[in-house]
């Protein structure tokens, strides 16, 4: 299995575009506008066969962004990863790992499909911090 990050600034999620298109067909029949994918900062993909399968979407926001913008992006990332995980269920994948970053601090969480309840459950795995000063780097050594 070949794992690789696909990163090109803000890239689109094909899984989210399919979901948006399906939603429009089912609930917005008169809407003829084109469907666009959700823009994400980093998409992890796996290319094993002829097509690439999305594994997760990861988001970065500046620490100076407003609280509402940060919450909006975190919510969007959760929704996009739910769509990606829903697509991966056809490969019998029930869980993925995701990162969200605000400035130099972030967190890693797992997102799991619980079939018996038909819900997605996010569980915090760890906080992540990137050092911004030399003194912090020396403390680690």
């Amino acid at each position: 299995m070949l794992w690789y990050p696909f990163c090109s600034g803000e890239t689109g999620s094909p899984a989210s575009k399919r979901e948006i298109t399906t939603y429009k067909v089912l609930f917005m029949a008169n809407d003829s506008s084109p469907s666009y994918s959700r823009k994400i900062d980093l998409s992890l993909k796996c290319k094993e066969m002829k097509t690439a399968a999305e594994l997760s979407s990861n988001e970065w926001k500046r620490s100076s962004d407003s609280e509402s913008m940060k919450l909006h992006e975190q919510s969007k990332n959760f929704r996009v990863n739910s769509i990606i995980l829903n697509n991966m269920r056809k490969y019998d994948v029930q869980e993925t790992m995701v990162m969200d970053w605000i400035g130099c601090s972030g967190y890693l969480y797992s997102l799991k499909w619980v079939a018996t309840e038909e819900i997605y459950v996010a569980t915090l795995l760890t906080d992540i911090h990137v050092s911004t000063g030399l003194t912090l780097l020396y403390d680690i050594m």
Side-chain angles (χ1 to χ4, degrees), residues 108-137:
L108 176 70
Y109 67 93
S110 71
L111 184 63
K112 184 175 184 175
W113 169 249
V114 181
T116 56
E117 302 292 326
E118 295 188 358
I119 60 170
Y120 294 96
V121 175
T123 304
L124 178 66
L125 299 175
T126 189
D127 291 324
I128 308 167
H129 304 282
V130 176
S131 176
T132 58
L134 289 176
T135 54
L136 291 175
L137 288 174

Short mmCIF file of all heavy atoms in Angstrom, two decimals, residues 108-137:
data_model
loop_
_atom_site.label_atom_id
_atom_site.label_comp_id
_atom_site.label_asym_id
_atom_site.label_seq_id
_atom_site.Cartn_x
_atom_site.Cartn_y
_atom_site.Cartn_z
N LEU A 108 -4.73 15.92 17.68
CA LEU A 108 -4.95 14.74 16.86
C LEU A 108 -6.12 14.00 17.47
O LEU A 108 -6.16 13.78 18.68
CB LEU A 108 -3.70 13.85 16.87
CG LEU A 108 -3.77 12.52 16.12
CD1 LEU A 108 -3.84 12.76 14.61
CD2 LEU A 108 -2.55 11.67 16.47
N TYR A 109 -7.11 13.65 16.64
CA TYR A 109 -8.23 12.89 17.15
C TYR A 109 -8.58 11.76 16.20
O TYR A 109 -8.21 11.78 15.02
CB TYR A 109 -9.45 13.78 17.41
CG TYR A 109 -10.13 14.40 16.21
CD1 TYR A 109 -11.20 13.77 15.59
CD2 TYR A 109 -9.73 15.64 15.72
CE1 TYR A 109 -11.85 14.35 14.51
CE2 TYR A 109 -10.38 16.23 14.64
CZ TYR A 109 -11.43 15.58 14.05
OH TYR A 109 -12.08 16.15 12.97
N SER A 110 -9.24 10.75 16.74
CA SER A 110 -9.73 9.67 15.90
C SER A 110 -11.21 9.92 15.64
O SER A 110 -11.92 10.45 16.50
CB SER A 110 -9.52 8.30 16.55
OG SER A 110 -10.39 8.14 17.65
N LEU A 111 -11.64 9.57 14.47
CA LEU A 111 -13.05 9.66 14.10
C LEU A 111 -13.48 8.25 13.74
O LEU A 111 -12.89 7.61 12.88
CB LEU A 111 -13.23 10.60 12.91
CG LEU A 111 -14.66 10.86 12.48
CD1 LEU A 111 -15.45 11.54 13.59
CD2 LEU A 111 -14.69 11.71 11.22
N LYS A 112 -14.48 7.76 14.44
CA LYS A 112 -14.90 6.38 14.29
C LYS A 112 -16.38 6.29 13.96
O LYS A 112 -17.20 7.03 14.53
CB LYS A 112 -14.62 5.61 15.59
CG LYS A 112 -14.93 4.15 15.52
CD LYS A 112 -14.50 3.45 16.79
CE LYS A 112 -14.74 1.95 16.66
NZ LYS A 112 -14.24 1.23 17.82
N TRP A 113 -16.72 5.39 13.05
CA TRP A 113 -18.11 5.09 12.73
C TRP A 113 -18.58 4.00 13.67
O TRP A 113 -17.98 2.92 13.74
CB TRP A 113 -18.24 4.64 11.28
CG TRP A 113 -19.57 4.06 10.94
CD1 TRP A 113 -19.86 2.76 10.65
CD2 TRP A 113 -20.82 4.76 10.83
NE1 TRP A 113 -21.19 2.61 10.37
CE2 TRP A 113 -21.80 3.82 10.47
CE3 TRP A 113 -21.20 6.09 11.00
CZ2 TRP A 113 -23.14 4.17 10.29
CZ3 TRP A 113 -22.52 6.43 10.82
CH2 TRP A 113 -23.48 5.48 10.46
N VAL A 114 -19.64 4.27 14.41
CA VAL A 114 -20.22 3.27 15.31
C VAL A 114 -21.50 2.78 14.64
O VAL A 114 -22.55 3.43 14.71
CB VAL A 114 -20.51 3.87 16.71
CG1 VAL A 114 -21.09 2.82 17.64
CG2 VAL A 114 -19.24 4.48 17.29
N ALA A 115 -21.40 1.63 14.00
CA ALA A 115 -22.49 1.12 13.17
C ALA A 115 -23.75 0.82 13.98
O ALA A 115 -24.86 1.07 13.50
CB ALA A 115 -22.04 -0.14 12.42
N THR A 116 -23.59 0.32 15.20
CA THR A 116 -24.76 -0.04 16.00
C THR A 116 -25.62 1.17 16.34
O THR A 116 -26.83 1.06 16.47
CB THR A 116 -24.34 -0.75 17.31
OG1 THR A 116 -23.44 0.11 18.02
CG2 THR A 116 -23.68 -2.08 17.02
N GLU A 117 -24.98 2.34 16.46
CA GLU A 117 -25.70 3.57 16.77
C GLU A 117 -25.91 4.46 15.55
O GLU A 117 -26.61 5.46 15.61
CB GLU A 117 -24.94 4.37 17.84
CG GLU A 117 -24.70 3.61 19.13
CD GLU A 117 -25.98 3.35 19.89
OE1 GLU A 117 -26.90 4.19 19.85
OE2 GLU A 117 -26.07 2.28 20.53
N GLU A 118 -25.21 4.13 14.45
CA GLU A 118 -25.22 4.92 13.22
C GLU A 118 -24.80 6.37 13.49
O GLU A 118 -25.47 7.31 13.06
CB GLU A 118 -26.57 4.84 12.51
CG GLU A 118 -26.89 3.45 12.02
CD GLU A 118 -28.13 3.39 11.14
OE1 GLU A 118 -28.78 4.44 10.92
OE2 GLU A 118 -28.43 2.30 10.66
N ILE A 119 -23.67 6.52 14.19
CA ILE A 119 -23.12 7.85 14.48
C ILE A 119 -21.60 7.82 14.31
O ILE A 119 -20.98 6.76 14.30
CB ILE A 119 -23.46 8.30 15.92
CG1 ILE A 119 -22.89 7.31 16.95
CG2 ILE A 119 -24.94 8.50 16.11
CD1 ILE A 119 -22.97 7.79 18.39
N TYR A 120 -21.04 9.02 14.18
CA TYR A 120 -19.59 9.19 14.17
C TYR A 120 -19.18 9.69 15.55
O TYR A 120 -19.83 10.58 16.10
CB TYR A 120 -19.15 10.21 13.12
CG TYR A 120 -19.43 9.73 11.71
CD1 TYR A 120 -20.59 10.11 11.04
CD2 TYR A 120 -18.53 8.90 11.07
CE1 TYR A 120 -20.85 9.66 9.77
CE2 TYR A 120 -18.77 8.45 9.79
CZ TYR A 120 -19.93 8.82 9.15
OH TYR A 120 -20.19 8.37 7.88
N VAL A 121 -18.10 9.15 16.10
CA VAL A 121 -17.62 9.56 17.41
C VAL A 121 -16.17 10.03 17.27
O VAL A 121 -15.32 9.31 16.74
CB VAL A 121 -17.69 8.40 18.43
CG1 VAL A 121 -17.08 8.81 19.76
CG2 VAL A 121 -19.13 7.95 18.62
N ALA A 122 -15.91 11.25 17.72
CA ALA A 122 -14.55 11.80 17.72
C ALA A 122 -13.97 11.66 19.12
O ALA A 122 -14.63 11.97 20.11
CB ALA A 122 -14.59 13.27 17.32
N THR A 123 -12.72 11.18 19.19
CA THR A 123 -12.04 11.00 20.46
C THR A 123 -10.67 11.67 20.39
O THR A 123 -9.87 11.35 19.50
CB THR A 123 -11.85 9.50 20.76
OG1 THR A 123 -13.12 8.85 20.73
CG2 THR A 123 -11.21 9.29 22.12
N LEU A 124 -10.42 12.59 21.32
CA LEU A 124 -9.12 13.27 21.37
C LEU A 124 -8.03 12.26 21.68
O LEU A 124 -8.13 11.50 22.65
CB LEU A 124 -9.14 14.37 22.42
CG LEU A 124 -7.83 15.14 22.61
CD1 LEU A 124 -7.49 15.94 21.36
CD2 LEU A 124 -7.92 16.05 23.83
N LEU A 125 -6.97 12.25 20.87
CA LEU A 125 -5.83 11.36 21.12
C LEU A 125 -4.70 12.09 21.82
O LEU A 125 -4.13 11.58 22.77
CB LEU A 125 -5.34 10.74 19.80
CG LEU A 125 -6.36 9.88 19.05
CD1 LEU A 125 -5.80 9.44 17.72
CD2 LEU A 125 -6.78 8.69 19.90
N THR A 126 -4.37 13.29 21.33
CA THR A 126 -3.30 14.06 21.96
C THR A 126 -3.30 15.50 21.47
O THR A 126 -3.78 15.78 20.36
CB THR A 126 -1.91 13.42 21.70
OG1 THR A 126 -0.93 14.07 22.48
CG2 THR A 126 -1.52 13.51 20.23
N ASP A 127 -2.78 16.38 22.29
CA ASP A 127 -2.52 17.75 21.86
C ASP A 127 -1.15 17.77 21.19
O ASP A 127 -0.27 16.97 21.53
CB ASP A 127 -2.51 18.70 23.06
CG ASP A 127 -3.89 18.87 23.66
OD1 ASP A 127 -4.87 18.88 22.90
OD2 ASP A 127 -3.99 19.00 24.89
N ILE A 128 -0.98 18.68 20.25
CA ILE A 128 0.29 18.80 19.52
C ILE A 128 0.72 20.26 19.56
O ILE A 128 -0.11 21.16 19.37
CB ILE A 128 0.12 18.37 18.05
CG1 ILE A 128 -0.52 16.99 17.94
CG2 ILE A 128 1.46 18.38 17.33
CD1 ILE A 128 -0.99 16.65 16.53
N HIS A 129 2.01 20.49 19.80
CA HIS A 129 2.53 21.85 19.82
C HIS A 129 3.84 21.90 19.05
O HIS A 129 4.67 21.00 19.18
CB HIS A 129 2.77 22.34 21.26
CG HIS A 129 1.54 22.26 22.11
ND1 HIS A 129 0.54 23.18 22.04
CD2 HIS A 129 1.14 21.34 23.01
CE1 HIS A 129 -0.43 22.84 22.87
NE2 HIS A 129 -0.09 21.72 23.48
N VAL A 130 4.01 22.95 18.27
CA VAL A 130 5.25 23.17 17.55
C VAL A 130 5.98 24.29 18.26
O VAL A 130 5.41 25.36 18.48
CB VAL A 130 4.99 23.55 16.07
CG1 VAL A 130 6.28 23.88 15.37
CG2 VAL A 130 4.25 22.43 15.36
N SER A 131 7.22 24.04 18.60
CA SER A 131 8.02 25.04 19.31
C SER A 131 8.26 26.25 18.43
O SER A 131 8.53 26.13 17.24
CB SER A 131 9.35 24.42 19.71
OG SER A 131 10.16 25.39 20.31
N THR A 132 8.17 27.42 19.04
CA THR A 132 8.41 28.66 18.29
C THR A 132 9.64 29.40 18.79
O THR A 132 9.99 30.44 18.27
CB THR A 132 7.20 29.60 18.39
OG1 THR A 132 6.96 29.88 19.78
CG2 THR A 132 5.99 28.98 17.75
N GLY A 133 10.30 28.86 19.80
CA GLY A 133 11.48 29.53 20.34
C GLY A 133 12.59 28.55 20.64
O GLY A 133 12.36 27.37 20.89
N LEU A 134 13.82 29.04 20.60
CA LEU A 134 14.97 28.18 20.86
C LEU A 134 14.98 27.64 22.30
O LEU A 134 15.38 26.51 22.52
CB LEU A 134 16.28 28.94 20.57
CG LEU A 134 16.55 29.19 19.09
CD1 LEU A 134 17.82 30.02 18.94
CD2 LEU A 134 16.69 27.89 18.35
N THR A 135 14.53 28.42 23.25
CA THR A 135 14.55 27.95 24.64
C THR A 135 13.64 26.74 24.82
O THR A 135 13.96 25.83 25.55
CB THR A 135 14.11 29.07 25.63
OG1 THR A 135 12.83 29.57 25.20
CG2 THR A 135 15.11 30.19 25.65
N LEU A 136 12.53 26.70 24.09
CA LEU A 136 11.65 25.54 24.18
C LEU A 136 12.31 24.31 23.57
O LEU A 136 12.16 23.21 24.04
CB LEU A 136 10.33 25.83 23.49
CG LEU A 136 9.43 26.86 24.18
CD1 LEU A 136 8.20 27.14 23.31
CD2 LEU A 136 9.00 26.37 25.54
N LEU A 137 13.10 24.52 22.50
CA LEU A 137 13.80 23.39 21.88
C LEU A 137 14.85 22.83 22.83
O LEU A 137 15.03 21.62 22.93
CB LEU A 137 14.45 23.82 20.56
CG LEU A 137 13.50 24.07 19.40
CD1 LEU A 137 14.26 24.62 18.20
CD2 LEU A 137 12.76 22.81 19.02
#
